[in-house]
């Protein structure tokens, strides 16, 4: 029960609250302030993604459990929000392809990491992959604000969709990097 792991648990616990706020506002036609609440909770959850790793390193509290749970928490948060934003209609039309690319890459990389872990091969997270995650989280924040944000600044949803496409492009590139690094070990395993 270290602080980094508690922060990761908090990120997972934030998911149903964010989804519930967007569901209530969009599907049940509740007030727009619920979107701002969703954004605030989402930002807090996204910040824990940075803080859990930071504290684990500086306090030397890195654990196998934390290394396993942290990327799962990230993927759960991103996937849940993307699915809710698609149900909400904020992500629609061609922009659904960006969300599909992001979700497919997450599944591909997770499967590849699981397979390589069985071979005792580590695939480190690159700086570009961290930037990809940052762009994804910022895009989702803008999209969660959606119509509430558009009332303040009329282009909030458009900025969110543009950032979603930027993160999808980074997702393809970083996914290819992981796949290329992993395929080498897959070929060696088949030849061995």
């Amino acid at each position: 029960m270290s602080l980094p792991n508690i922060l990761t648990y908090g990120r997972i616990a934030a998911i149903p609250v964010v989804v519930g706020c967007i569901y209530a506002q969009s599907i049940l036609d509740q007030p727009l302030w619920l979107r701002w609440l969703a954004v605030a909770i989402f930002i807090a959850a996204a910040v824990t993604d940075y803080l859990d790793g930071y504290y684990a390193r500086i306090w030397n509290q890195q654990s196998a459990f934390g290394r396993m749970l942290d990327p799962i928490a990230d993927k759960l948060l991103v996937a849940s929000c993307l699915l809710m934003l698609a149900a909400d209609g904020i992500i629609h039309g061609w922009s659904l392809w960006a969300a599909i690319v992001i979700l497919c890459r997450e599944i591909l990389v997770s499967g590849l990491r699981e397979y390589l872990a069985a071979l005792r091969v580590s695939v480190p997270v690159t700086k570009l992959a961290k930037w990809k995650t940052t762009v994804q989280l910022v895009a989702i924040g803008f999209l969660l604000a959606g119509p509430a944000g558009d009332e303040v600044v009329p282009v909030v949803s458009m900025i969110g969709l543009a950032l979603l496409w930027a993160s999808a492009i980074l997702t393809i590139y970083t996914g290819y990097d992981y796949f290329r690094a992993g395929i080498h070990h897959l070929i060696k395993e088949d030849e061995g």
Side-chain angles (χ1 to χ4, degrees), residues 20-191:
C21 287
I22 298 301
Y23 182 85
Q25 190 285 310
S26 175
I27 310 299
L28 301 179
D29 203 28
Q30 296 298 310
L32 282 178
W33 63 263
L34 286 167
R35 293 195 91 89
W36 290 118
L37 180 59
V39 170
I41 294 167
F42 178 80
I43 290 170
V47 168
T48 68
D49 182 31
Y50 169 77
L51 291 177
D52 61 8
Y54 175 77
Y55 287 129
R57 283 187 299 279
I58 66 166
W59 291 341
N60 199 25
Q61 293 182 338
Q62 294 170 318
S63 66
F65 184 74
R67 282 190 301 275
M68 182 267 310
L69 192 61
D70 180 61
I72 291 172
D74 297 344
K75 287 164 184 41
L76 290 173
L77 181 64
V78 167
S80 299
C81 288
L82 289 176
L83 290 171
M84 197 65 232
L85 289 165
D88 176 27
I90 296 294
I91 299 175
H92 64 282
W94 286 102
S95 296
L96 285 170
W97 285 104
I100 290 167
V101 163
I102 291 167
L103 291 174
C104 287
R105 183 263 190 199
E106 298 303 343
I107 293 167
L108 172 75
V109 169
S110 294
L112 182 61
R113 281 179 179 247
E114 184 178 333
Y115 177 78
L116 292 174
L119 299 177
R120 299 200 185 278
V121 174
S122 175
V123 182
V125 177
T126 65
K127 280 194 180 209
L128 188 58
K130 290 182 181 189
W131 276 104
K132 180 266 314 171
T133 300
T134 301
V135 174
Q136 260 180 17
L137 295 174
V138 172
I140 291 170
F142 273 89
L143 293 170
L144 287 172
D150 288 337
E151 282 190 353
V152 178
V153 179
V155 293
V156 165
S157 293
M158 296 285 287
I159 291 170
L161 291 172
L163 289 170
L164 187 71
W165 277 106
S167 71
I169 291 166
L170 288 172
T171 293
I172 291 170
Y173 185 81
T174 59
Y176 175 74
D177 266 359
Y178 280 121
F179 187 72
R180 191 182 62 204
I183 200 77
H184 169 72
H185 296 287
L186 295 170
I187 293 169
K188 275 177 47 177
E189 179 73 9
D190 282 343
E191 290 173 352

